[in-house]
């Protein structure tokens, strides 16, 4: 698993199973689901599967989704990274 990337204002950590509830809550936001999920409400199980796939992608391909956290605050503020959509990896992000 890749290391945490950190600056005084932002830290990026690969998303893990412990992030599933916060990831799911962000994915349900209207502005996020509109663009990333075709306005579909995803279930918690789908969010779990996405994080599992991201972790596997880090292990096999060296890329996946990074959780974004602000400063010393440990709550998930968003995510960014490469995600495989049909034709190969593409940039995916949500704030």
């Amino acid at each position: 698993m890749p290391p945490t990337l950190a600056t005084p204002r932002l830290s990026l950590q690969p998303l893990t199973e412990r992030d599933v509830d916060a990831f799911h809550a962000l994915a349900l936001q209207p502005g996020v689901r509109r663009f990333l999920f075709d306005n579909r409400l995803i279930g918690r199980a789908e969010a779990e599967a996405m994080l599992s796939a991201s972790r596997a992608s880090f292990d096999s391909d060296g890329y996946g989704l990074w959780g974004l956290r602000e400063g010393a605050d440990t709550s998930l503020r968003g995510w960014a990274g490469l995600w495989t959509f049909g034709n190969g990896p593409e940039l995916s992000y949500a704030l």
Side-chain angles (χ1 to χ4, degrees), residues 2-79:
T4 296
L5 305 174
T7 71
R9 293 182 57 200
L10 183 69
S11 69
L12 287 84
Q13 299 169 317
L15 290 169
T16 67
E17 289 77 19
R18 69 181 170 81
D19 297 310
V20 70
D21 290 326
F23 178 86
H24 184 235
L26 283 168
L28 294 178
Q29 296 296 314
V32 173
R33 74 171 189 253
R34 177 179 171 207
F35 293 102
L36 295 182
F37 303 105
D38 296 327
N39 214 29
R40 183 174 53 84
L41 293 171
I42 69 165
R44 189 177 188 282
E46 186 173 350
E48 282 183 273
M50 289 180 70
L51 296 190
S52 179
S54 174
R55 186 172 177 164
S57 180
F58 270 119
D59 291 341
S60 64
D61 304 315
Y63 63 82
L65 298 176
W66 297 81
L68 308 175
R69 292 172 172 80
E70 193 173 4
D73 186 355
T74 59
S75 59
L76 188 67
R77 300 292 186 174
W79 72 79

